[in-house]
């Protein structure tokens, strides 16, 4: 089992910055990819960024490329999402997500509870 707890959301003005954190507890060793997703009111949940375990390969959706950075601190079992130059369209609940693969078990997916990010003047 894996538990994910996000923090760092809040209200920020356009052009501002926030850093989200996702603390991983439980069997973190089975995780092979971590994601940040977001869901705005009335819209589908969408992937924002991802980072692989080990090598730390990253991927971003086009709309956040160059503004958001995903990173991880393996010693702290924490994944971060640094968000710069925030825009009103970035307003959403942001979720941490883990894809896990354990020998002898089916692939598993875990979600955090979400943290609200509001970009408004």
């Amino acid at each position: 089992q894996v538990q994910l707890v996000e923090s760092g959301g809040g209200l920020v003005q356009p052009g501002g910055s926030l850093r989200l954190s996702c603390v991983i507890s439980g069997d973190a060793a089975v995780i092979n990819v971590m994601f940040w997703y977001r869901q705005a009111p009335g819209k589908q949940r969408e992937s924002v960024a991802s980072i692989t375990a080990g090598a730390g390969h990253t991927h971003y959706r086009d709309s956040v490329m160059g503004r958001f950075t995903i990173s991880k601190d393996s010693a702290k079992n924490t994944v971060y999402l640094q968000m710069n130059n925030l825009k009103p369209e970035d307003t959403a609940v942001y979720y941490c997500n883990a894809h896990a693969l354990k020998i002898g078990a089916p692939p598993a997916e875990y979600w955090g509870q979400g943290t609200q990010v509001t970009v408004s003047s």
Side-chain angles (χ1 to χ4, degrees):
Q1 282 288 333
V2 172
Q3 295 80 41
L4 307 173
V5 178
E6 304 100 331
S7 63
L11 172 64
V12 64
Q13 291 186 342
S17 298
L18 283 174
R19 188 177 80 157
L20 306 183
S21 299
C22 174
V23 177
I24 306 162
S25 60
D27 195 3
V30 301
I31 295 172
N32 54 354
V33 186
M34 292 291 300
F35 291 83
W36 283 99
Y37 280 78
R38 67 185 180 188
Q39 187 167 20
K43 295 188 177 181
Q44 288 190 332
R45 192 171 295 189
E46 61 184 19
S47 173
V48 175
S50 64
I51 186 166
T52 61
H57 296 298
T58 59
H59 185 267
Y60 300 90
R61 71 180 302 108
D62 289 347
S63 61
V64 307
M65 188 81 69
R67 299 188 298 122
F68 290 12
T69 303
I70 189 170
S71 62
K72 63 187 176 83
D73 185 332
S74 299
K76 294 182 179 180
N77 274 350
T78 302
V79 175
Y80 303 98
L81 185 67
Q82 177 67 44
M83 306 185 294
N84 298 328
N85 191 21
L86 282 160
K87 303 176 180 181
E89 51 264 41
D90 295 318
T91 295
V93 178
Y94 283 71
Y95 297 90
C96 184
N97 169 277
H99 286 198
L101 191 61
K102 191 173 183 178
I103 295 174
E109 188 174 15
Y110 301 93
W111 291 91
Q113 81 287 354
T115 185
Q116 176 71 46
V117 172
T118 302
V119 185
S120 175
S121 54

